[in-house]
Structures are given as C-alpha cells and as structure tokens.
Amino acid sequence: MRSNYFVKRVGQAVLTFFATVTLTFVLYQLMPGGPAEALKNVILQQQMGTGNTIDPARVERLVAQYTNIESDAPIYVQYYQYMTSVFLEFDLGESLYEDATVTSLLAERIPWSMLISVYAMVIGYTVSIVLGAVMAFKEKSRFDSVSSVAVIALNSTPYYVAGILLIFFFSIRNKFFPTGGRVGLGVEEGFNLAFMQSIAHHAALPVLSMSILGLGTALTMRGNSVRVLGEDYLRVAELRGLRNSRIATQYVGRNAILPMYTQFMIGIAGVLSSSVIVEEIFSYPGVGLLVYDAIQVRNYPVLMGSLIVFTLVTVVSILIADLTYGFIDPRISSGGNDE
Amino acid sequence: MSNEQPDDPEGLETLFDADIDREPTPRSQRLKRQFDLYVAAPFRVAMTDWRAVVGTAIISAFFLMGTLGVWLVDRPTSGDAPVLEPPFQNVDYILGTDTFGQPIGAQLIHATPDMFRMVFAGAVVSVGLAALVGVVSGFLRGSKIDTTLMAITDVIITIPGLPLVIVLIAIFQPGDPYVIGVLLGLDNWPGLARTVRSQVLSIREESYVEASQIMGISTGTILRRDVLAQLMPYVTVNSALASRRIIFESVGLYFLGILPFTTFNWGVMMNIAYEGNALSRPDMYHFLAFPLLTIFLMSFGLVLFSQGMDSVFNVRLRARHASTIDDDGGPDS
C-alpha cells in the first residue's frame, strides 16, 4: 500500500512538472505572432543603436538560441526540442539582455529568495501557532476576542501594504533598517560576522512583511485547538492525572498542528511566488526582482524559465509534505486516496 | 439546511409528490419558502454576529460608492484643483488632491466600478469552476470522470498561480477589467474544487439523498435540489475570500506597474504616489495613504463578511461549539 502511494505521488509530481513545461511551450506559441515575431521585436529594440541591419536568418538563429525553439520547424519538432532541452539538458534558454543562461541567473538568485521566504514562513507560522493555541486556551476571554480582531485586521492588510508601512516607519522616519539591497556596501563577502549581520539587517523588513501572509493560520490553529480541547480523550488524559505540559504538547499541540503541516509546505511555494511584489518594494535582488525586471523589458526566456522553476519548487515541497505526512501522522499512513 | 425539510409538512409533501410529479408546489410558494430558508433566516441569524453586520455594512458602502458615488461625483481630470492640496481642508476635495491636481476622493470612487467588475469576473470563474468540478467529480466518485477531473485539479493546484498570471499578463497586456478578473480567478479554483468535492462526498452519504436516489429521481435533479442547495453557504463564504484575493493581487500588480494603466485604480494611484517618493514627502502622504486605507477597508469587510457568514451557515460547527471562526485555512495566498 505504501509503495503504491509513493509511486502514485511521485508520478503525479512528474506529470505536473511535465504539464507546466508544456504550458510554457504553449505560451510561447500563443504570443502575438508567435515566439519569433515577439522576440524579433524585442531583439530589434535591443539592437536599435548598433546600426546593424538584421537579416531574418540571424533572428531565427537568435530565437533558437534564446528559447530552444526553432520557429521554422514543424510544431511537433519544436515541442520535442523544447521538452528535451528542458528535461534532459536542464537548459531553460538564454536571457535576452545579460549574456547568461536562464538557469545560471535563477540559480544565483534563488538562495536569496529562499532565505527571506523560509524565515518569513517560520516566523509567521510560529507566531500564529503559539497565538492560536493561547487564544484557544483562553477562549471567549477578552484576550481571545481582541487578538481575533487583530489577526483579522492583519490578515486584511496586503503584504505589500505592510511592506510600505514598514519601510516608512523603520527606514525613512527612523533609520533602523536599510531601504533596499541585500548586503551593505563595502562589506567583505564570506563567512564573517559583519557579512552575516548585514544580510540579516537587510532581510529583516522583507521577512517581516511576508510573515503577514502566514498569519491567517492563527485562526486555523485556534479552531483546531478548540476542537481538540473538546474531545473525550483529553478528559481521559486529565483523569489519568497527566501533567499539564504533557497534555498541552502531546495531546493538544500535536493534534492541532498536524492538519496544518501540508498547508505549511504549500505555503512555502506561495511565499516564493509573492516575492515578485515584496522584492520589488524592498529592491531586494532575489528571484522576484529578476522576474520583475524581466517583465519590464519583455525578457520572455527569463519569465518562462522562472515559471518552470517556481513550479519545480512547489512540486517538490508538496511531494515532501505528502510523503512525510504519513510518518508524522500515523492515522493516514495508508495514503489518503480520497480527500 | 435541506435536512430540515422533512420536518415541516410541506417538505414531506414535496418528498412524496416527487416521484409522481416533478413540480409539486406552486412556483411562487416554493420561491417564498426558499427565500425564507436561504435569505430571511440566515439574515436573522447574521444580525446576531457582529462580524457579519460590520462586513456587510462595509461591502454595502463600497457598493454605494461604485454606483451612486460614480453618478454623484464627476470623473476627475487633471487640473481640476490645485496640485497636492492637503486633506480635510476644502469641502470640494475632502481627501486632498494628487500631483496632477485630481481630487483623491473622486479617483477612489471612480476606481470602484472596475474593481467590482474584476472581482465579479474572478469570483464567477473561480467559484463557478470549483463548484462545477467539485460537484461533478464528487457525485461520480470513483468513475473515470472523477479520476480525470481530480488529476487535472491536482496538476493545476501545484502550478504557482501568481507567476503564471504575471507571465500571461506580460504576454497579453490585458486592459479590460473582466479579462483581468478572469486571469486572476483562474489560479484559485483547484483548491476550492477539492474542498467542494469532499463536501459533496459527505452530503451524498446523508440519508435524504439516498432516499431521493431510491425514489428514482434523476442525478441532475438531486444535484440541483439537494447538493447545490447545501453548498450555497460554502460557496458564499468562498466567493468573499476569492474576491479578497483578487483585490489583493490586482491592486498589487497595478501598484507594480505590471498591469497596464488603463483605468482609475487604487493600485495605480499607489504606484504614482510611491514612484513620486511619497514616503519621504510629507505633502504627499495623503496621496499614498488613502488608497492604502481603501484596500485595507475593503478586504477587512470581505474577511469579516466571510467569517460572519461561516458562523451563520455552519450550523454543525456552532452546535458543536467547535469554533466560531473560519477553520478551513481560509484566506491565504
């Protein structure tokens, strides 16, 4: 049963990834005038100043180099070329502007985005789990209702609005944090304290504004805990005279957190996607800013490449979540075939 | 909610007549009864929940802004008023004016109709698709159709929505609010479809649905009468959450300048203010602050509304005293 489930989940993950790569291929084809025409306009703009006239064959060659698609080949050949270059050669094409492959551009930026998004997730979820649990224990108290309203209000604040407010109060009015960048000027790179501090200093505000995204979980946690608190086995545990700390962590905590585990893993992917907006506000050079800059100049290969990589990250995190869920929660170890 | 039906005599009648005649009670009476069940009764319950009341009030205010407000207040053009008037000084432009001399309040008002168009298109697409896929696949559980639909849903659930939407926008540069709404709605339906499916699965187990099946009522009728009716509350709650998401994302994308500036929009205003360094210019604070406040209010209203509705509709939750608050993870990304 288990290995069956494993094969099914991995197969599904591969299928999803395959579908996304196909989707990006389709998007290339859907561009007004097809990929050749769309890219030709961009290339023409780019080479405007050089005075070279561009012959069609050269454009054709450039398009093939940038996107791995030979636009004069029959469509099934194009599809085959595109799929093989992505899957077998891990080649996502080449950036139109920098002299670099999309893969290397993304590889350079992703760790930075991961840094802020993972911290944002961890902070957001930790705060909301603790808060939700406390709210549940003090259900119907003043603390409960006040913090419910506060969480709803925070939840209604778009993370970019939070970002703007944070910049305003902590970088412009009071110069506690820098307004952008990921390390300070003139800080020596490498494994030294100043460098680490500078990284943390620059990442603080983006992390804070993104943590807002996870805060809705506090209400979920509250709901879960309240429900667990009403269960019979808790009364049994109390009657058995177990210590309160043990009841809180092993009975209530565990049962309330479990349903949120998958959500957490899916959340990682969501936060990574949102980085486009956050990184632009904080001018934090991660993947998001790369995508943003690519949109401004219609750098299609970079756009498509990041869509593929974002999907890969999501597919992998959800796969990990699904496969490990069985270890954490024995109840579903046979594999959740339905719902 | 429909499981209460057999309790009242008319409901029983409906049930008994059903296999002889498909239209048991006169239409007007049925409508009246449904109105009472789905509108009047929830409304009475809603009045006891402050979140539902405040949420509805805020949404209605925005609705008035988008209908009456547009009609009452002239569409702003640049040079209507002095540049960068501070707020609360002049009755003609209470919220002050922007760098082009356009009253800010009027811009906020004239941005509302397009916002509603976007939200409407997005909510219809996401909730509609979700309900359709979820109901069909839940009802045909285990069949080929169910397997296929769920496989597709699982694939789409995983493709990250925002980057996909951004790529689509970058390629097609949509200006029409309906198109933008549809694009933003597209990435929201799969998660919902899964939840609707599991809801349908549990409704299917209810005895009255089984009874209908035994009586030989067609699947379509059962879907319409029993299952959809049961799902309505759920759909209402999620429409509000989907709307909130669409507002967040569209305003965010306008703010970044990724969506082309075609109409008045709160995001566009924020973009112009932010690019104009409003954060470090006290005379421009209000230009940035009021759109921010507007988005916050609108989404606060929608979240309150959805949570209020949830506690109103979710009888089982209330009865079990489990939670008075949205507990399916609700509003995130």
Side-chain angles (χ1 to χ4, degrees), chain B residues 96-111:
Chain B
T97 61
D98 68 4
T99 35
F100 309 107
Q102 307 184 76
I104 285 174
Q107 288 188 64
L108 287 176
I109 289 172
H110 279 270

Side-chain angles (χ1 to χ4, degrees), chain B residues 59-71 109 116:
Chain B
I59 296 173
S60 319
F62 273 104
F63 188 73
L64 284 179
M65 208 167 119
T67 48
L68 262 183
V70 177
W71 183 63
I109 289 172
F116 273 114

